[in-house]
């Protein structure tokens, strides 16, 4: 149960960083285009070309012994930031593509014709139509953040030593299999399975409810 608390907090806080960042950068790139678009596309293309687990391990090693605003980034706070920095790319790409379509619609052209500022058009007339993508990705990103925290904790790069975590439980129980104590590993893996399954079902239901392209299907 304490391991579930850690996993849920990682999924929540990591996506609280990643999803707003992805929405902001994706909307900015898709709406303004030109060199801004080129820069942001280069950023997420570069990050997505690196295997996620390798990038997370590199960031966590870089955080060792680092303190930011009184927070020790060696432990769980570093996991939040590392997952947030890595996890925005998928949302950014989807938001960018959607905004590129919306900016050419008639009501956006009408808003420009009235003399409204570009930033006001983006915030008032474009972003509300792509927020559902961020909500869906928040639930789906929850799954990725939880599993990534388990992998990092299994490698000894996740939460602090002594903190209840499913990754630490799996790491500590793998050698106990030789002694026949299978229930320690099974309990952590089973709990992880049911949490990931529940979050995937939630993500699918949110997509069905919020995606306007599926309303009449």
């Amino acid at each position: 149960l304490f391991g579930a608390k850690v996993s849920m907090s990682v999924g929540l806080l990591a996506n609280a960083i990643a999803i707003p960042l992805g929405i902001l950068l994706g909307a900015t790139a898709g709406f303004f285009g030109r060199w801004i678009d080129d820069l942001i596309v280069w950023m997420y293309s570069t990050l997505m070309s690196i295997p996620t687990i390798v990038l997370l391990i590199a960031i966590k090693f870089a955080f060792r012994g680092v303190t930011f605003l009184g927070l020790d980034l060696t432990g769980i706070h570093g996991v939040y930031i590392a997952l947030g920095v890595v996890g925005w790319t998928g949302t950014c790409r989807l938001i960018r593509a959607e905004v590129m379509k919306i900016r050419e619609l008639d009501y956006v052209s009408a808003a420009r014709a009235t003399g409204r500022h570009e930033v006001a058009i983006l915030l008032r007339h474009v972003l509300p139509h792509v927020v559902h993508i961020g909500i869906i990705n928040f639930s789906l990103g929850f799954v990725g953040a939880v599993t990534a925290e388990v992998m990092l904790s299994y490698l000894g790069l996740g939460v602090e030593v002594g903190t209840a975590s499913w990754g630490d439980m799996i790491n500590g129980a793998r050698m106990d299999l030789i002694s026949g104590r299978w229930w320690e590993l099974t309990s952590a893996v089973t709990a992880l399975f049911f949490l990931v399954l529940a979050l995937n079902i939630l993500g699918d239901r949110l997509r069905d409810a919020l995606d306007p392209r599926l309303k009449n299907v």
Side-chain angles (χ1 to χ4, degrees), residues 13-207:
L13 294 177
N15 281 282
I17 298 172
I19 299 302
L21 185 61
I23 292 176
L24 177 62
L25 292 177
T28 302
F31 189 77
F32 293 105
R34 290 186 279 187
W35 66 269
I36 298 176
D37 185 35
D38 294 338
L39 177 62
I40 294 175
V41 169
W42 176 83
M43 288 171 57
Y44 75 66
S45 298
T46 302
L47 286 176
M48 294 180 73
S49 67
I50 305 172
T52 303
I53 187 63
V54 174
L55 190 57
L56 287 172
I57 291 173
I59 294 173
K60 279 295 294 177
F61 269 115
F63 281 166
R64 284 196 166 182
V66 176
T67 302
F68 179 70
L69 297 178
L71 303 175
D72 183 10
L73 301 186
T74 304
I76 191 68
H77 299 99
V79 175
Y80 299 152
I81 296 176
L83 292 173
V85 168
V86 172
W88 63 270
T89 55
T91 301
C92 179
R93 185 175 61 176
L94 292 174
I95 295 292
R96 172 181 174 270
E98 194 69 20
V99 170
M100 290 178 70
K101 293 188 297 183
I102 294 175
R103 72 179 182 182
E104 304 299 332
L105 297 180
D106 292 340
Y107 78 92
V108 177
S109 300
R112 287 196 181 99
T114 61
R116 300 206 69 174
H117 194 275
E118 292 288 304
V119 175
I121 295 174
L122 175 62
L123 296 176
R124 179 73 180 273
H125 300 289
V126 176
L127 277 181
H129 294 275
V130 296
V131 170
H132 70 278
I133 298 176
I135 296 174
I136 296 168
N137 277 20
F138 192 97
S139 63
L140 297 177
F142 225 100
V143 177
V146 169
T147 52
E149 182 275 326
V150 170
M151 287 188 290
L152 288 174
S153 296
Y154 178 78
L155 295 172
L157 297 172
V159 299
E160 298 90 342
V161 176
T163 303
S165 166
W166 290 338
D168 277 343
M169 290 173 64
I170 294 172
N171 185 32
R174 59 191 173 93
M175 298 305 297
D176 292 336
L177 289 175
I178 301 174
S179 305
R181 294 198 295 271
W182 53 267
W183 53 86
E184 298 178 10
L185 182 64
T186 302
S187 61
V189 172
T190 302
L192 178 62
F193 167 77
F194 281 110
L195 178 61
V196 171
L197 177 64
L199 291 172
N200 276 318
I201 293 173
L202 175 63
D204 289 339
R205 295 297 181 267
L206 285 173
R207 182 184 60 188

